[in-house]
Amino acid sequence: MRRTIYLVLILSLLVTVVLGIPAANAGGPVQLSLEAAVIQAWKVSDVLRLAQVTLDKSTEQREDAGEHAGSFIPAPGYNQSPTADVAWVGLLKASANERIAKRDLENKWESVAFDVYQKYFAVLSAEAGVAKAKAAVARDRFGLQTAWAVYQTGCGTRTQYEAAQAKAEGAEKGLLAAQESLDKAYVSFNRLVGLLPEDRPELIDEPVISPLKVDSLEVEVEKAVNSSVDVFKLQMLKDMAEWDLNYPIAVDAYGNAVYRDYNVQEYEVDISDINVASARDALRERVRTTYHDIRALEQQEAALAASVKTASDALRIVQAQHKVGLVARDKVREAEAALADVQASLESMKCQHASLLATWRYLTGHPVTSIKQ
């Protein structure tokens, strides 16, 4: 028996060390800070592994293309050697693909951290929704009990009782829906950090409203365009289309020289140019709208914080009145539910603000997290 206990403890320790997941407190749920969640997601990310393998592959292909190009000297137009043309364009494209893979790997580190931020705060927001729903259930259950007692004594009608019953049933369904939303948020978060779908880690970092500081919106917009991996990829595709236009010879499967149609290839360049311009414009719009969304939430925060204080004061007053018999217990339940409602709204808004700040940093090329890779 003692050997079995020791074996279980050793296995638990190994799992904790290997996976990097913090141990639970006294048999309770695993506790995860935002920083620990990001580090854990980086450790288990298939996205990062795939990006690294893709970079390794592209590096090998670029080196092979360089060896194949050898000492060929390409010359744009129709008078050069097909072999030199194909080898040179192959080297250019292989080098471009390696640059794309490097930028993509760098971006994936940030995108995984960004995804953790989104899902971490989605869980916290869903937890606030569950707390709100539980307060509504407590209020409406007590209301149903009161309505039943009033109906039994003949002081209330059947209609009043049925209305209270319907309200209580609605609150119960609302709680079930809120719990489903929380479970869904946990499933997405757990997959990201390598936990089982049924695990329920305790997320210990609360969102805090930290006002966004921007000296110039237009400067940040252009930073976003210049740092965007998607725009960079499209620009590289445009460059490849121009290389095919300037070096029009290709080699078919039988080793014969084939000339690309110049007019058709011109369209390819035009299409690539339009794609780059469209992506830049879309990104500029997204950065601007994200900025205004953040500012709007910051304006709402003060109003919601004031509503929480008002609801909290109202609850204290009602509780004091209930103690001396001035109001019934149902008034306390109503005040508790009202406070839970505005608290959930404030918590949800804080989570949304934190998520949008992460979005802003990701879009504008700023580090999503201060954690070193």
Side-chain angles (χ1 to χ4, degrees), residues 82-97:
T83 304
D85 186 16
V86 172
W88 175 247
V89 173
L91 177 58
L92 289 176
K93 289 184 177 180
S95 298
N97 284 327

Side-chain angles (χ1 to χ4, degrees), residues 117-133:
Y117 271 66
Q118 301 297 304
K119 290 178 170 53
Y120 192 97
F121 291 119
V123 170
L124 293 179
S125 181
E127 286 179 341
V130 169
K132 172 183 173 180

